[in-house]
Amino acid sequence: MRTDRRRDPSGISRAGRAALAVLAGAAVLISLTAPAPPGAQPAAHAAPATPAFTSVNYAVAVDQSHSLEPGDIEAEKAAATRIALGNVSASSHITVFGFASADNDTQRAVDPACPRTRLDAAGRESVGACVDKLRQRKENEGTGTDFPAAILQGVHELTSGTDPSVPRVLFLLTDGILDVSTSESYGAESHREDEGKRRLELALKSAAAKNVQIWPLGFGPRPDQAQLDRMAAGGYQKGCVDLPSARPTARKVSGARDVGPALERAFAAAHCLRYQPGPSKRPPATLPITISPLATVGSIVVDKGDPEVTVTYTDPLGNKVPTTGKFAGSEFELAGGGSTVEALKIIDPVPGEWKVDVKAPEGHRSLPVAVSVLWQGELRGTITMDPPSPQPGQRTTVTMRLQTRDDYEIKDPADYAGLKVRSELTGDGFTPQPLRLADDGKGPDPEGNDGSFTGTVTVPKSADGALKVRGTLTASGLSADTRSEGGQVAPGTLPVTTALGPVRGSGHPGGTVTANLAVTNSSDAPHTLRLSLADVRAGLLTLSPSEIVVKPGASASHEVTVRIGPAKAFEGRLDDEDPIGVGGTVTVQDSTDGDRVLVSTPLSVQVTAEPTLLDRYWWVLVIAAVLLVAGVLLALAWLRQRRRRRDPDGLMLHLIAEDGTVLGVHKAGHGQKQWYAFDIAEAHSNPRIERRTHGLYAVQRSPEGGAVLRRRGGARTRLTATGRADLTDQLSLALGEDSVRSGGPGIPDPVSTGAHDDYL
């Protein structure tokens, strides 16, 4: 199932996170930081009345023969514990026993482990200890595989003093085939194989006669699939629901490590539960597992492998839930907390992705931890006819839409996989007409796998009164639901005809969606139409107007408004990214014409959480961030350009004597902070320019062209391409022609300036 997504615990939407990401980039660029927004507290999840859960009586027969590998018996024990703890009904009972063979009068083929145990809180907690009594047989204890004895023991345990109305299920775990070759009670050695087969057939007939289903599970290379299939087919065949998935089936897996998941699947099918496997990882790890919005009760089963592993559970709203008692509308009960397998049973669980956090101390982290969920749920449906008052011989379209028990639409087709829909049209003047409803996107069904099953039926020409269309939903793990919709055969042309436009839409709490209702009154009297909204939980949606008066001969279009309820009506289930679908049925009745139904059509509104200011104006923040980044980049580019234009590198400094003779040429480098410092060496004998870090003079380029000469402690002088600047009484400084990068004609002669000059 897709996860039932929620708003991020921080309260920030996808758009908001995108905006913040852009702002974060800008912040890094300009070395700014901003505090994170405070987290929003999740709303409590309100629960309906505690539902009733179907019970089952079952027995688990565990192979103890000598052919088992050392880890096989442990895998069988863990598998038996997994299904016991995963059971969701406190009125179910379990019996566990081991079996091999009895080779002589002093031995027995069956070893009791867990007597019949009611799986209430105390019983679930005790199962792990009694299952642990199972052990592998030694060579002198009877090491064959006596299926007849195991089946007869299971039949006895399941039928003695039990309610025959409660399903009886025997799970048979084995790594071998029927083997009574060493059992003296089966007669002469040459006839034991045939006698074993004969007794197996008798045991299977007894199971079938006493309504005991047999679900064999073989593992390893030895079991014979054909023999497993015969045992499954030989017991009672009617399952907990009339669906192929609930019919006893033999399973075979490659090894002992697959026994647990395979037995859980078989248990789910036999008990009409839904099974959802999860990941398997070594601790420490976080294992996600999804619970469907249809679930009314579920058990998260954790196969820890090591009792030292500790587990915590977090619901889709981010709450770490307790392991016992009630919290936020759900009820919790943990069993097996100190053993290798534990399970958290949850009544009315919050739907969506749960997180199972597993930890273990050093030395206890070698085994992988597996998580799964077994759940049972409730499925509801709404049914409509279009037109609701057809004429004899007219074709009408019937739609049955699926909903959760809270009147939300179902998003994931996997939640209702295996669904069986039965429908028929009944009425006055004709025999019932079968009706096929499908969700395949073909023919009258507009869209496949959207939870709406559609079909058409022709009203018989003999119809002369009331009509009723009935639909029944049946699915394994989901309680059956039957819905019906009544109508009347139209005697001819109706005085008032209507057409309701599309009413699908989306919005936020407190918002509205609209549709147009076209009405034509061809009679000479006014008609009053009543509008109503059904099949929706109170507070989620409301319809207006509730009444329209149509004048004689009038033809007009009226706007119908559907208002979405406040956020609190959605019990914290709203998400600002993934909408939640709310369904209903819009009905228009002509109260002037005996409340004849003129319109009966499904309604679907997609609701998302009210956007925050960040959601609404994230684009403004993004634009501002882009502009800010652009401004910063421009400023940096300007600064780099300014530094480049002031860089003295490449200036050709000419040292000029008093008579105009060039005494030497010196090429300036980059300098420090765009100033190239130098001094005059041997000014009175052999004058020349030498670079000095703290020289008396320094030059840099001028953005306006030429250069600027700075004397330590003195004023600055502009130096153009054609001018000179005095250094001493006999020496001056000039620039070579290749020193000029900017400027041009008209640059004035050297001028002394003060420190206030912007460029100097």
Side-chain angles (χ1 to χ4, degrees):
M1 181 193 108
R2 289 200 326 251
T3 59
D4 185 16
R5 302 172 66 184
R6 301 292 193 276
R7 176 180 288 266
D8 186 281
S10 66
I12 302 174
S13 69
R14 181 181 300 166
R17 289 194 295 270
L20 290 178
V22 175
L23 289 173
V28 171
L29 182 62
I30 60 176
S31 301
L32 297 177
T33 59
Q41 295 297 321
H45 172 66
T50 301
F53 312 118
T54 56
S55 60
V56 64
N57 291 329
Y58 57 99
V60 184
V62 177
D63 194 335
Q64 295 178 289
S65 61
H66 187 66
S67 61
L68 293 170
E69 295 294 332
D72 291 349
I73 189 69
E74 295 301 322
E76 290 181 296
K77 290 159 61 174
T81 305
R82 283 171 72 159
I83 64 172
L85 298 185
N87 178 76
V88 298
S89 173
S91 58
S92 292
H93 290 78
I94 186 174
T95 303
V96 182
F97 58 88
F99 74 95
S101 66
D103 294 347
N104 53 55
D105 293 341
T106 64
Q107 297 174 352
R108 58 186 181 183
V110 174
D111 291 331
C114 298
R116 187 182 303 156
T117 303
R118 181 184 174 94
L119 290 174
D120 53 15
R124 280 163 39 103
E125 190 63 46
S126 67
V127 165
C130 65
V131 167
D132 203 45
K133 298 176 184 177
L134 295 169
R135 62 179 181 83
Q136 185 180 15
R137 291 277 186 100
K138 298 178 181 178
E139 288 189 11
N140 60 349
E141 294 180 323
T143 59
T145 308
D146 192 340
F147 289 147
I151 293 173
L152 290 175
Q153 181 69 25
V155 171
H156 171 74
E157 296 289 350
L158 292 169
T159 58
S160 299
T162 62
D163 185 350
S165 66
V166 178
R168 299 164 172 172
V169 181
L170 171 63
F171 296 101
L172 186 67
L173 278 61
T174 179
D175 78 327
I177 59 176
L178 175 63
D179 180 12
V180 291
S181 58
T182 58
S183 299
E184 297 176 357
S185 63
Y186 279 80
E189 187 173 348
S190 60
H191 300 290
R192 288 173 185 172
E193 182 178 351
D194 291 338
E195 179 64 12
K197 293 179 180 178
R198 188 186 72 83
R199 293 191 189 182
L200 178 58
E201 291 300 319
L202 292 176
L204 293 174
K205 289 180 180 179
S206 175
K210 296 183 179 181
N211 297 350
V212 175
Q213 301 175 35
I214 301 175
W215 294 72
L217 173 60
F219 58 94
R222 298 180 64 234
D224 181 355
Q225 182 68 56
Q227 188 175 75
L228 298 176
D229 290 338
R230 284 194 294 272
M231 288 192 288
Y236 186 62
Q237 293 301 293
K238 291 185 178 180
C240 51
V241 68
D242 185 19
L243 290 172
S245 60
R247 193 169 298 129
T249 305
R251 287 174 167 82
K252 184 180 176 181
V253 295
S254 59
R257 66 178 182 178
D258 299 320
V259 170
L263 185 59
E264 278 187 316
R265 287 188 177 91
F267 177 72
H271 194 3
C272 281
L273 296 173
R274 293 275 173 156
Y275 170 71
Q276 177 66 43
S280 175
K281 294 181 180 179
R282 290 184 176 88
T286 298
L287 308 175
I289 190 71
T290 298
I291 297 183
S292 167
L294 300 180
T296 53
V297 61
S299 284
I300 299 177
V301 183
V302 185
D303 190 343
K304 302 185 291 187
D306 190 318
E308 294 298 319
V309 174
T310 58
V311 186
T312 56
Y313 304 85
T314 304
D315 70 16
L317 299 178
N319 302 311
K320 290 189 181 300
V321 301
T323 55
T324 184
K326 296 181 179 180
F327 175 77
S330 299
E331 187 172 343
F332 302 89
E333 178 188 297
L334 181 71
S339 63
T340 57
V341 178
E342 72 174 56
L344 182 67
K345 177 180 174 182
I346 314 170
I347 297 176
D348 192 37
V350 176
E353 185 179 88
W354 287 66
K355 294 180 180 178
V356 179
D357 295 301
V358 294
K359 297 180 180 179
E362 291 287 349
H364 298 270
R365 300 174 180 175
S366 61
L367 297 176
V369 177
V371 63
S372 59
V373 64
L374 292 161
W375 60 271
Q376 196 171 73
E378 180 181 339
L379 182 66
R380 295 181 56 188
T382 65
I383 193 166
T384 58
M385 287 194 303
D386 181 25
S389 298
Q391 296 179 359
Q394 185 179 3
R395 185 175 291 271
T396 184
T397 300
V398 177
T399 300
M400 193 166 191
R401 190 186 66 248
L402 308 183
Q403 294 180 198
T404 69
R405 69 187 190 278
D406 295 327
D407 293 328
Y408 295 116
E409 292 180 347
I410 300 173
K411 298 179 180 180
D412 192 349
D415 285 338
Y416 56 90
L419 179 70
K420 187 175 183 178
V421 183
R422 293 177 178 173
S423 182
E424 66 176 3
L425 177 70
T426 61
D428 298 335
F430 63 94
T431 58
Q433 302 292 304
L435 175 61
R436 179 182 178 273
L437 301 180
D439 184 22
D440 55 8
K442 300 177 181 179
D445 186 56
E447 184 178 348
N449 297 320
D450 65 345
S452 289
F453 290 75
T454 309
T456 60
V457 62
T458 300
V459 179
K461 293 184 178 180
S462 59
D464 60 3
L467 296 174
K468 178 176 286 188
V469 63
R470 180 189 301 270
T472 300
L473 304 171
T474 306
S476 183
L478 302 171
S479 58
D481 185 50
T482 298
R483 293 298 168 111
S484 62
E485 174 73 6
Q488 289 180 314
V489 176
T493 303
L494 297 176
V496 176
T497 56
T498 58
L500 183 65
V503 289
R504 294 183 69 90
S506 61
H508 308 297
T512 61
V513 295
T514 60
N516 290 323
L517 178 67
V519 182
T520 299
N521 183 1
S522 58
S523 71
D524 56 1
H527 280 249
T528 300
L529 307 184
R530 288 208 312 267
L531 286 72
S532 60
L533 184 59
D535 302 318
V536 62
R537 184 157 53 88
L540 296 184
L541 301 175
T542 55
L543 183 71
S544 64
S546 60
E547 186 176 280
I548 296 175
V549 177
V550 187
K551 297 179 181 180
S555 180
S557 179
H558 300 267
E559 186 175 78
V560 177
T561 300
V562 179
R563 181 169 295 279
I564 303 171
K568 64 180 181 181
F570 293 87
E571 302 168 339
R573 298 191 179 190
L574 291 180
D575 189 349
D576 49 17
E577 299 172 8
D578 191 19
I580 185 171
V582 182
T585 303
V586 177
T587 302
V588 180
Q589 294 175 279
D590 188 348
S591 59
T592 309
D593 190 15
D595 286 337
R596 182 182 297 277
V597 179
L598 303 178
V599 172
S600 180
T601 187
L603 163 75
S604 176
V605 179
Q606 304 299 308
V607 183
T608 53
E610 181 71 26
T612 63
L613 288 176
L614 186 59
D615 294 333
R616 292 175 179 175
Y617 301 110
W618 64 269
W619 57 273
V620 175
L621 296 177
V622 171
I623 292 174
V626 170
L627 292 176
L628 180 61
V629 170
V632 170
L633 292 176
L634 287 173
L636 292 175
W638 180 80
L639 289 174
R640 284 196 299 270
Q641 178 67 11
R642 186 179 184 187
R643 284 195 298 268
R644 189 185 68 81
R645 295 180 65 186
R646 290 178 178 271
D647 190 354
D649 184 45
L651 285 174
M652 305 303 294
L653 306 180
H654 292 240
L655 185 63
I656 309 296
E658 186 176 11
D659 60 1
T661 304
V662 177
L663 301 177
V665 179
H666 181 86
K667 184 178 181 180
H670 291 289
Q672 293 183 349
K673 297 182 180 181
Q674 286 79 50
W675 286 99
Y676 181 81
F678 65 93
D679 220 332
I680 304 299
E682 301 182 38
H684 299 288
S685 58
N686 183 27
R688 61 186 181 278
I689 297 174
E690 288 187 357
R691 180 173 185 169
R692 303 281 177 82
T693 303
H694 302 289
L696 180 62
Y697 309 100
V699 294
Q700 72 173 192
R701 292 185 186 273
S702 170
E704 294 183 347
V708 176
L709 175 66
R710 183 187 70 188
R711 184 188 295 269
R712 189 196 308 159
R716 301 179 184 183
T717 304
R718 278 285 299 278
L719 186 63
T720 66
T722 59
R724 297 182 188 179
D726 292 335
L727 299 178
T728 66
D729 292 341
Q730 292 83 27
L731 300 175
S732 61
L733 183 70
L735 298 177
E737 293 182 359
D738 55 351
S739 298
V740 182
R741 293 182 184 170
S742 59
I747 297 177
D749 288 337
V751 177
S752 295
T753 62
H756 62 275
D757 191 313
D758 288 343
Y759 293 103
L760 306 181

PDB file of all heavy atoms in Angstrom, residues 465-487:
ATOM      1  N   GLY A 465     -42.720  -0.629 -11.489  1.00  0.00           N
ATOM      2  CA  GLY A 465     -42.820  -0.028 -10.156  1.00  0.00           C
ATOM      3  C   GLY A 465     -41.452   0.258  -9.569  1.00  0.00           C
ATOM      4  O   GLY A 465     -40.599   0.879 -10.192  1.00  0.00           O
ATOM      5  N   ALA A 466     -41.261  -0.236  -8.357  1.00  0.00           N
ATOM      6  CA  ALA A 466     -40.021   0.030  -7.631  1.00  0.00           C
ATOM      7  C   ALA A 466     -38.852  -0.742  -8.230  1.00  0.00           C
ATOM      8  O   ALA A 466     -39.011  -1.840  -8.770  1.00  0.00           O
ATOM      9  CB  ALA A 466     -40.193  -0.343  -6.159  1.00  0.00           C
ATOM     10  N   LEU A 467     -37.668  -0.161  -8.100  1.00  0.00           N
ATOM     11  CA  LEU A 467     -36.416  -0.785  -8.514  1.00  0.00           C
ATOM     12  C   LEU A 467     -35.461  -0.787  -7.338  1.00  0.00           C
ATOM     13  O   LEU A 467     -35.511   0.098  -6.480  1.00  0.00           O
ATOM     14  CB  LEU A 467     -35.775  -0.013  -9.677  1.00  0.00           C
ATOM     15  CG  LEU A 467     -36.503   0.044 -11.004  1.00  0.00           C
ATOM     16  CD1 LEU A 467     -35.769   0.985 -11.952  1.00  0.00           C
ATOM     17  CD2 LEU A 467     -36.611  -1.341 -11.619  1.00  0.00           C
ATOM     18  N   LYS A 468     -34.590  -1.769  -7.310  1.00  0.00           N
ATOM     19  CA  LYS A 468     -33.537  -1.784  -6.277  1.00  0.00           C
ATOM     20  C   LYS A 468     -32.314  -2.471  -6.858  1.00  0.00           C
ATOM     21  O   LYS A 468     -32.404  -3.569  -7.412  1.00  0.00           O
ATOM     22  CB  LYS A 468     -33.995  -2.513  -5.024  1.00  0.00           C
ATOM     23  CG  LYS A 468     -32.900  -2.576  -3.940  1.00  0.00           C
ATOM     24  CD  LYS A 468     -33.401  -3.219  -2.671  1.00  0.00           C
ATOM     25  CE  LYS A 468     -34.314  -2.287  -1.906  1.00  0.00           C
ATOM     26  NZ  LYS A 468     -34.667  -2.829  -0.571  1.00  0.00           N
ATOM     27  N   VAL A 469     -31.173  -1.802  -6.743  1.00  0.00           N
ATOM     28  CA  VAL A 469     -29.908  -2.408  -7.116  1.00  0.00           C
ATOM     29  C   VAL A 469     -29.139  -2.692  -5.835  1.00  0.00           C
ATOM     30  O   VAL A 469     -29.083  -1.855  -4.923  1.00  0.00           O
ATOM     31  CB  VAL A 469     -29.101  -1.506  -8.078  1.00  0.00           C
ATOM     32  CG1 VAL A 469     -28.729  -0.184  -7.420  1.00  0.00           C
ATOM     33  CG2 VAL A 469     -27.849  -2.223  -8.557  1.00  0.00           C
ATOM     34  N   ARG A 470     -28.601  -3.909  -5.752  1.00  0.00           N
ATOM     35  CA  ARG A 470     -27.912  -4.349  -4.541  1.00  0.00           C
ATOM     36  C   ARG A 470     -26.502  -4.816  -4.913  1.00  0.00           C
ATOM     37  O   ARG A 470     -26.311  -5.488  -5.926  1.00  0.00           O
ATOM     38  CB  ARG A 470     -28.677  -5.494  -3.885  1.00  0.00           C
ATOM     39  CG  ARG A 470     -28.033  -6.034  -2.597  1.00  0.00           C
ATOM     40  CD  ARG A 470     -28.730  -7.303  -2.157  1.00  0.00           C
ATOM     41  NE  ARG A 470     -30.144  -7.074  -1.920  1.00  0.00           N
ATOM     42  CZ  ARG A 470     -30.663  -6.714  -0.750  1.00  0.00           C
ATOM     43  NH1 ARG A 470     -29.871  -6.530   0.290  1.00  0.00           N
ATOM     44  NH2 ARG A 470     -31.956  -6.555  -0.613  1.00  0.00           N
ATOM     45  N   GLY A 471     -25.527  -4.440  -4.084  1.00  0.00           N
ATOM     46  CA  GLY A 471     -24.147  -4.862  -4.305  1.00  0.00           C
ATOM     47  C   GLY A 471     -23.520  -5.354  -3.021  1.00  0.00           C
ATOM     48  O   GLY A 471     -23.743  -4.774  -1.953  1.00  0.00           O
ATOM     49  N   THR A 472     -22.744  -6.430  -3.111  1.00  0.00           N
ATOM     50  CA  THR A 472     -22.064  -6.995  -1.944  1.00  0.00           C
ATOM     51  C   THR A 472     -20.578  -7.089  -2.224  1.00  0.00           C
ATOM     52  O   THR A 472     -20.158  -7.611  -3.260  1.00  0.00           O
ATOM     53  CB  THR A 472     -22.614  -8.396  -1.604  1.00  0.00           C
ATOM     54  OG1 THR A 472     -24.006  -8.299  -1.310  1.00  0.00           O
ATOM     55  CG2 THR A 472     -21.897  -8.972  -0.397  1.00  0.00           C
ATOM     56  N   LEU A 473     -19.788  -6.566  -1.295  1.00  0.00           N
ATOM     57  CA  LEU A 473     -18.333  -6.607  -1.388  1.00  0.00           C
ATOM     58  C   LEU A 473     -17.808  -7.709  -0.483  1.00  0.00           C
ATOM     59  O   LEU A 473     -18.163  -7.774   0.697  1.00  0.00           O
ATOM     60  CB  LEU A 473     -17.722  -5.271  -0.954  1.00  0.00           C
ATOM     61  CG  LEU A 473     -18.201  -4.014  -1.686  1.00  0.00           C
ATOM     62  CD1 LEU A 473     -17.668  -2.775  -0.988  1.00  0.00           C
ATOM     63  CD2 LEU A 473     -17.758  -4.039  -3.132  1.00  0.00           C
ATOM     64  N   THR A 474     -16.969  -8.572  -1.030  1.00  0.00           N
ATOM     65  CA  THR A 474     -16.370  -9.638  -0.239  1.00  0.00           C
ATOM     66  C   THR A 474     -14.881  -9.678  -0.532  1.00  0.00           C
ATOM     67  O   THR A 474     -14.474  -9.740  -1.694  1.00  0.00           O
ATOM     68  CB  THR A 474     -16.997 -11.004  -0.580  1.00  0.00           C
ATOM     69  OG1 THR A 474     -18.413 -10.926  -0.433  1.00  0.00           O
ATOM     70  CG2 THR A 474     -16.460 -12.077   0.350  1.00  0.00           C
ATOM     71  N   ALA A 475     -14.063  -9.644   0.525  1.00  0.00           N
ATOM     72  CA  ALA A 475     -12.612  -9.724   0.362  1.00  0.00           C
ATOM     73  C   ALA A 475     -12.017 -10.376   1.597  1.00  0.00           C
ATOM     74  O   ALA A 475     -12.488 -10.148   2.716  1.00  0.00           O
ATOM     75  CB  ALA A 475     -11.999  -8.338   0.156  1.00  0.00           C
ATOM     76  N   SER A 476     -11.006 -11.186   1.386  1.00  0.00           N
ATOM     77  CA  SER A 476     -10.335 -11.829   2.500  1.00  0.00           C
ATOM     78  C   SER A 476      -9.697 -10.777   3.393  1.00  0.00           C
ATOM     79  O   SER A 476      -9.011  -9.871   2.918  1.00  0.00           O
ATOM     80  CB  SER A 476      -9.267 -12.791   1.973  1.00  0.00           C
ATOM     81  OG  SER A 476      -8.647 -13.465   3.042  1.00  0.00           O
ATOM     82  N   GLY A 477      -9.937 -10.899   4.686  1.00  0.00           N
ATOM     83  CA  GLY A 477      -9.379  -9.956   5.639  1.00  0.00           C
ATOM     84  C   GLY A 477     -10.206  -8.715   5.844  1.00  0.00           C
ATOM     85  O   GLY A 477      -9.868  -7.872   6.662  1.00  0.00           O
ATOM     86  N   LEU A 478     -11.305  -8.582   5.081  1.00  0.00           N
ATOM     87  CA  LEU A 478     -12.153  -7.402   5.182  1.00  0.00           C
ATOM     88  C   LEU A 478     -13.590  -7.851   5.388  1.00  0.00           C
ATOM     89  O   LEU A 478     -14.073  -8.750   4.693  1.00  0.00           O
ATOM     90  CB  LEU A 478     -12.052  -6.550   3.911  1.00  0.00           C
ATOM     91  CG  LEU A 478     -10.657  -6.055   3.532  1.00  0.00           C
ATOM     92  CD1 LEU A 478     -10.673  -5.415   2.157  1.00  0.00           C
ATOM     93  CD2 LEU A 478     -10.151  -5.069   4.570  1.00  0.00           C
ATOM     94  N   SER A 479     -14.269  -7.233   6.329  1.00  0.00           N
ATOM     95  CA  SER A 479     -15.656  -7.605   6.589  1.00  0.00           C
ATOM     96  C   SER A 479     -16.511  -7.278   5.375  1.00  0.00           C
ATOM     97  O   SER A 479     -16.345  -6.255   4.725  1.00  0.00           O
ATOM     98  CB  SER A 479     -16.183  -6.853   7.822  1.00  0.00           C
ATOM     99  OG  SER A 479     -16.090  -5.455   7.628  1.00  0.00           O
ATOM    100  N   ALA A 480     -17.436  -8.189   5.051  1.00  0.00           N
ATOM    101  CA  ALA A 480     -18.292  -8.005   3.883  1.00  0.00           C
ATOM    102  C   ALA A 480     -19.247  -6.840   4.102  1.00  0.00           C
ATOM    103  O   ALA A 480     -19.659  -6.534   5.218  1.00  0.00           O
ATOM    104  CB  ALA A 480     -19.072  -9.287   3.610  1.00  0.00           C
ATOM    105  N   ASP A 481     -19.606  -6.177   3.019  1.00  0.00           N
ATOM    106  CA  ASP A 481     -20.499  -5.026   3.088  1.00  0.00           C
ATOM    107  C   ASP A 481     -21.500  -5.117   1.943  1.00  0.00           C
ATOM    108  O   ASP A 481     -21.121  -5.344   0.791  1.00  0.00           O
ATOM    109  CB  ASP A 481     -19.702  -3.722   2.984  1.00  0.00           C
ATOM    110  CG  ASP A 481     -20.587  -2.497   3.170  1.00  0.00           C
ATOM    111  OD1 ASP A 481     -21.351  -2.462   4.148  1.00  0.00           O
ATOM    112  OD2 ASP A 481     -20.515  -1.587   2.328  1.00  0.00           O
ATOM    113  N   THR A 482     -22.780  -4.962   2.274  1.00  0.00           N
ATOM    114  CA  THR A 482     -23.844  -4.987   1.271  1.00  0.00           C
ATOM    115  C   THR A 482     -24.542  -3.641   1.266  1.00  0.00           C
ATOM    116  O   THR A 482     -24.945  -3.141   2.317  1.00  0.00           O
ATOM    117  CB  THR A 482     -24.860  -6.104   1.560  1.00  0.00           C
ATOM    118  OG1 THR A 482     -24.196  -7.370   1.494  1.00  0.00           O
ATOM    119  CG2 THR A 482     -25.980  -6.089   0.538  1.00  0.00           C
ATOM    120  N   ARG A 483     -24.686  -3.060   0.079  1.00  0.00           N
ATOM    121  CA  ARG A 483     -25.364  -1.779  -0.073  1.00  0.00           C
ATOM    122  C   ARG A 483     -26.436  -1.899  -1.137  1.00  0.00           C
ATOM    123  O   ARG A 483     -26.304  -2.671  -2.091  1.00  0.00           O
ATOM    124  CB  ARG A 483     -24.355  -0.681  -0.476  1.00  0.00           C
ATOM    125  CG  ARG A 483     -23.338  -0.366   0.610  1.00  0.00           C
ATOM    126  CD  ARG A 483     -24.004   0.157   1.867  1.00  0.00           C
ATOM    127  NE  ARG A 483     -23.118   0.202   3.000  1.00  0.00           N
ATOM    128  CZ  ARG A 483     -22.688   1.329   3.545  1.00  0.00           C
ATOM    129  NH1 ARG A 483     -23.045   2.486   3.021  1.00  0.00           N
ATOM    130  NH2 ARG A 483     -21.905   1.293   4.601  1.00  0.00           N
ATOM    131  N   SER A 484     -27.487  -1.115  -0.981  1.00  0.00           N
ATOM    132  CA  SER A 484     -28.559  -1.121  -1.970  1.00  0.00           C
ATOM    133  C   SER A 484     -29.021   0.306  -2.230  1.00  0.00           C
ATOM    134  O   SER A 484     -28.866   1.190  -1.383  1.00  0.00           O
ATOM    135  CB  SER A 484     -29.729  -1.989  -1.493  1.00  0.00           C
ATOM    136  OG  SER A 484     -30.280  -1.475  -0.291  1.00  0.00           O
ATOM    137  N   GLU A 485     -29.570   0.512  -3.418  1.00  0.00           N
ATOM    138  CA  GLU A 485     -30.080   1.816  -3.820  1.00  0.00           C
ATOM    139  C   GLU A 485     -31.424   1.599  -4.495  1.00  0.00           C
ATOM    140  O   GLU A 485     -31.558   0.773  -5.409  1.00  0.00           O
ATOM    141  CB  GLU A 485     -29.107   2.504  -4.775  1.00  0.00           C
ATOM    142  CG  GLU A 485     -29.603   3.798  -5.373  1.00  0.00           C
ATOM    143  CD  GLU A 485     -29.610   4.948  -4.372  1.00  0.00           C
ATOM    144  OE1 GLU A 485     -29.111   4.760  -3.234  1.00  0.00           O
ATOM    145  OE2 GLU A 485     -30.112   6.029  -4.721  1.00  0.00           O
ATOM    146  N   GLY A 486     -32.431   2.323  -4.017  1.00  0.00           N
ATOM    147  CA  GLY A 486     -33.770   2.175  -4.571  1.00  0.00           C
ATOM    148  C   GLY A 486     -34.095   3.231  -5.603  1.00  0.00           C
ATOM    149  O   GLY A 486     -33.504   4.311  -5.632  1.00  0.00           O
ATOM    150  N   GLY A 487     -35.007   2.907  -6.469  1.00  0.00           N
ATOM    151  CA  GLY A 487     -35.469   3.836  -7.483  1.00  0.00           C
ATOM    152  C   GLY A 487     -36.862   3.444  -7.937  1.00  0.00           C
ATOM    153  O   GLY A 487     -37.467   2.509  -7.416  1.00  0.00           O
TER     154      GLY A 487
END
